[in-house]
Amino acid sequence: QSALTQPASVSGSPGQSITISCTATSSDVGSFDLVSWYQQHPGKAPKLIIYEVTKRPSGLSNRFSGSKSGNTASLTISGLQAEDEADYFCCSYAGTNTWVFGGGTKLTVL
Amino acid sequence: EVQLVQSGAEVKKPGESLKISCKTSGYSFSNYWIAWVRQTPGKGLEWMAMIYPGDSDTRYSPSFQGQVSISADRSLSAAYLQWGSLKASDTAIYYCARRGSSSFSFDPWGQGTLVTVSS
């Protein structure tokens, strides 16, 4: 059982905004300030899109943003596009050089 | 450009051994942790273990401690994941990924290695 809980699926129409939540169910993730998010298209490797809760890698679209409130981190995708349809995983540092992933959320663009 | 290129798909029988590789280029291999992550349809992504090639320091998830071992060869800029005795439940895609030097995230990732264990 993952220490990070995500909804199994979310959906939205092109142009809309969606938010994917990631809730820590264990104190193993500490202050939950070291959350990262990954996008994975079918048959492809995961790709880093958000790190340390709110930071975007260089060159990544600003349509992707991250936030945190208490023990829930969130990924928001604004101006939804067809190519955003993918699986999204959150991940948190769990101390002593170990990490934990969420179960993943399938985003469908209607 | 930083690249992680993994070895090809494997089909093995239960009880067999296996070692898969992750060959890196474009950066100083010794100075970055390399992680291994398992992906199965039922359990999503699971962080397995990590190695620091500079001194071969390793960390294992309790779920995988004793089930796999990881290593690195600085002369080849390559990291390895190996099993001594495979089980059907080891069937999965395995990814390697580089941890950022001062960050707690993984970027980039290798393309993945599909391991199928079946009698």
Side-chain angles (χ1 to χ4, degrees), chain A residues 32-38 47-68 73-76 91, chain B residues 102-107:
Chain A
F32 209 33
D33 290 327
L34 298 171
V35 176
S36 51
W37 288 89
Y38 301 85
K47 173 188 172 184
L48 177 68
I49 55 173
I50 294 289
Y51 65 101
E52 291 169 18
V53 180
T54 61
K55 300 176 181 177
R56 273 190 310 274
S58 174
L60 192 82
S61 170
N62 60 8
R63 297 187 301 104
F64 294 89
S65 63
S67 62
K68 189 195 80 164
S74 298
L75 170 70
T76 297
C91 177
Chain B
S102 58
S103 88
F104 291 79
S105 56
F106 302 106
D107 180 52

